[in-house]
Amino acid sequence: MPALNRLYRDYRDRVEFYVVYIEEAHPIDAWQLSANLTDDVLVATTRTADERYQVAGVCVTKLGIELPALVDEPDNRVERAYTAWPDRLYVIDRHGVIAHKSAAGPFGFKPADVEATLKRIVEPAPEGTQDSRPH
Amino acid sequence: MRVRNPRRMMKWVLIGALGLAGAYAVLFGVVLTAMLQPPGRFGQFMKRVPAGLVWGALPAPRMWLWARRGDLAPGAPAPDFTLPRHGGGGDRVTLSAYRDHRPVVLVFGSYT
């Protein structure tokens, strides 16, 4: 997440960023990971919009996410449209066209590729105007 | 060690090798089928199967990348959506509202 927070700070004056909180990857009632047990990251599958909204808040806080967050609906409609589970990165250009789609996470989750795409499609910030304020 | 009946031994070696290859093919097929299921169903599958068997015995990362490749490709229009913004006091964000204005980076993920 630090790499994405840095990208957000570097580009947020020219690019919109959103975390889209989707269905949990390793909830306690399904494929629980021992690493999550050790780290006390224990979350059940969210069934309602309220539950999902609540866990999204925990996610944003605990992971130190500076980007604004959206919350997918309980029917996972956006996750399905983007084949986004368990995690995935997209860059949409200013014409609404997909400029970059990462491979499926966790193996394909590479923020460096997002940065390379942004360098290609976004005008450089004028000297001295880059927005580096903390969130 | 002296082998009394080499042909008989070869037969059993061959049967063993074929059995192992068959078991591997079945495991490969079952896991790949599970990877093609919706996330919730795949999660329930992984709950019941030793993770070491999947990630140790199979080329699981490559299988996963193929199974989760999805239909969208660079150059295609991004599917539109409207979702609630966390902490936005009921605000909803529509992706297409940024068309002709700004690029958008979408970071999909969860807590776990």
Side-chain angles (χ1 to χ4, degrees):
Chain A
M1 208 60 219
L4 287 165
N5 281 338
R6 182 185 59 76
L7 265 185
Y8 172 58
R9 289 194 292 267
D10 288 350
Y11 281 91
R12 66 179 173 180
D13 58 331
R14 290 157 289 160
V15 176
E16 212 66 32
F17 284 76
Y18 287 108
V19 162
V20 185
Y21 175 78
I22 57 172
E23 185 172 3
E24 283 296 329
H26 301 288
I28 55 174
D29 51 329
W31 182 16
Q32 169 77 287
L33 289 186
S34 55
N36 283 350
L37 277 172
T38 308
D39 296 340
D40 201 25
V41 178
L42 307 173
V43 176
T45 300
T46 51
R47 309 279 180 202
T48 66
D50 283 348
E51 284 177 0
R52 188 162 283 195
Y53 197 84
Q54 190 176 0
V55 177
V58 175
C59 176
V60 166
T61 305
K62 296 275 189 183
L63 298 182
I65 295 171
E66 297 176 13
L67 290 64
L70 308 178
V71 185
D72 195 10
E73 303 288 356
D75 62 5
N76 304 312
R77 68 182 73 160
V78 179
E79 184 285 313
R80 279 188 280 114
Y82 283 81
T83 322
W85 190 87
D87 45 33
R88 189 164 223 151
L89 298 162
Y90 281 87
V91 180
I92 316 298
D93 72 14
R94 68 178 69 249
H95 306 294
V97 170
I98 296 169
H100 170 72
K101 172 190 179 184
S102 78
F107 313 108
F109 196 88
K110 296 174 181 172
D113 293 343
V114 170
E115 183 167 20
T117 303
L118 292 179
K119 281 180 177 166
R120 183 166 54 82
I121 69 168
V122 178
E123 298 272 325
E127 199 66 34
T129 61
Q130 199 170 60
D131 186 355
S132 58
R133 291 167 296 166
H135 186 64
Chain B
M1 190 179 77
R2 190 165 161 235
V3 179
R4 282 188 186 175
N5 190 336
R7 290 190 66 178
R8 191 185 167 102
M9 188 179 163
M10 277 301 293
K11 179 183 159 192
W12 283 109
V13 168
L14 195 61
I15 288 172
L18 285 173
L20 279 174
Y24 187 84
V26 169
L27 179 66
F28 186 97
V30 168
V31 171
L32 189 60
T33 302
M35 287 178 173
L36 289 165
Q37 303 305 306
R41 289 180 69 177
F42 177 65
Q44 290 300 324
F45 172 82
M46 288 302 296
K47 181 181 178 182
R48 291 167 174 81
V49 176
L53 189 64
V54 174
W55 303 105
L58 297 169
R62 290 181 65 183
M63 293 164 67
W64 180 246
L65 293 176
W66 181 83
R68 299 293 297 169
R69 65 198 183 284
D71 299 325
L72 299 175
D80 197 18
F81 60 78
T82 299
L83 287 177
R85 179 175 167 153
H86 187 268
D91 284 359
R92 296 176 73 82
V93 170
T94 298
L95 180 67
S96 58
Y98 297 106
R99 197 169 292 163
D100 299 325
H101 295 291
R102 285 158 69 101
V104 181
V105 171
L106 298 175
V107 181
F108 289 94
S110 70
Y111 184 31
T112 57

